[in-house]
Amino acid sequence: MPFTIAIDGPAASGKGTIARALAQRFGFLHLDTGLLYRAVGAMGGDPVAAARALTPEDLLRPGLRSAEAGQAASRVAAIPEVRAVLVDFQRRFAVQEPGAVLDGRDIGTVICPGAQLKLYVVARDETRAARRAAELGVDPTEMLAQLRERDARDADRATAPLRAAPDAVVLDTTALTIDEAVARAVALVEDRLSAQPAP
Ligand code: DC
């Protein structure tokens, strides 16, 4: 049975970095589900039609990592029909052998409620803003306001809001280096893998 790791959390909490590191370490596939919403937001026009027409190449569009693309993604992500169109693709991705890591906002709660490990990655608002501002070369104060606006929209929407699943392990990366955060996540995966029944 494939091993699925669901990683959720607010913007710039470190979940993407942890997801990539886990996928590399365990030889699992990785899907940054935020990119799906970023691509839909960037395609313009009717967001539901854009979600239906989405191809893997759309995920490679330039500019998808920008703060503006993040805001557009958060807006289209609040549309229930857009989310519904993207569910099957994410669920199919999640059950590939030998395992898959998906990071986003609703992976542990909606997309993969049966994931073998769920992580909910958090960090202080100011820390997240400073990290993302350094990454994008923008002003941290402006970034803090943008992150808070986006988190509020993502957490307050009616469909699949940003929430920790009841059985998620909360990992606070505020005071951790990347290596420390990854080491904790790796230890959790190893623990769960060792508890798996033999194939
Ligand atoms: O992870 P990210 O910052 O790239 O995500 C961009 C936006 O997409 C985020 O503000 C909300 C939305 N999103 C979502 O609603 N559900 C997901 N599983 C992933 C992202």
Side-chain angles (χ1 to χ4, degrees):
M1 194 168 107
F3 191 91
T4 307
I5 304 173
I7 308 185
D8 293 300
S13 56
K15 60 186 187 309
T17 304
I18 293 171
R20 277 191 299 279
L22 289 180
Q24 196 176 14
R25 167 77 180 243
F26 294 98
F28 291 174
L29 293 130
H30 170 229
L31 180 64
D32 168 0
T33 64
L35 263 189
L36 304 175
Y37 297 94
R38 285 173 183 260
V40 169
M43 283 159 80
D46 171 20
V48 180
R52 288 206 182 100
L54 197 66
T55 66
E57 290 71 48
D58 290 318
L59 306 184
L60 306 172
R61 280 171 175 255
L64 288 187
R65 303 276 175 196
S66 71
E68 295 72 30
Q71 292 290 354
S74 169
R75 281 192 287 271
V76 298
I79 303 169
E81 294 81 5
V82 167
R83 307 199 69 85
V85 170
L86 300 176
V87 165
D88 282 353
F89 172 77
Q90 295 175 80
R91 288 196 177 143
R92 280 198 305 273
F93 190 97
V95 293
Q96 296 178 96
E97 294 284 0
V101 187
L102 286 81
D103 70 277
R105 303 292 186 290
D106 63 339
I107 308 303
T109 50
V110 174
I111 303 295
C112 305
Q116 282 84 349
L117 175 64
K118 298 177 189 175
L119 290 179
Y120 192 75
V121 183
V122 296
R124 254 182 97 230
D125 292 2
E126 289 77 3
T127 308
R128 296 189 290 117
R131 285 178 190 160
R132 188 50 59 87
E135 215 174 274
L136 298 175
V138 299
D139 174 53
T141 312
E142 169 67 13
M143 183 49 68
L144 178 61
Q146 283 195 15
L147 284 187
R148 283 184 169 151
E149 183 195 334
R150 193 144 72 89
D151 290 345
R153 194 188 298 115
D154 295 343
D156 294 345
R157 67 184 177 220
T159 307
L162 168 67
R163 289 270 185 292
D167 53 347
V169 179
V170 178
L171 180 56
D172 186 338
T173 67
T174 306
L176 301 180
T177 63
I178 291 176
D179 286 352
E180 288 166 343
V182 169
R184 290 200 192 181
V186 165
L188 289 164
V189 177
E190 281 172 343
D191 192 53
R192 297 287 164 96
L193 276 173
S194 65
Q196 287 276 103

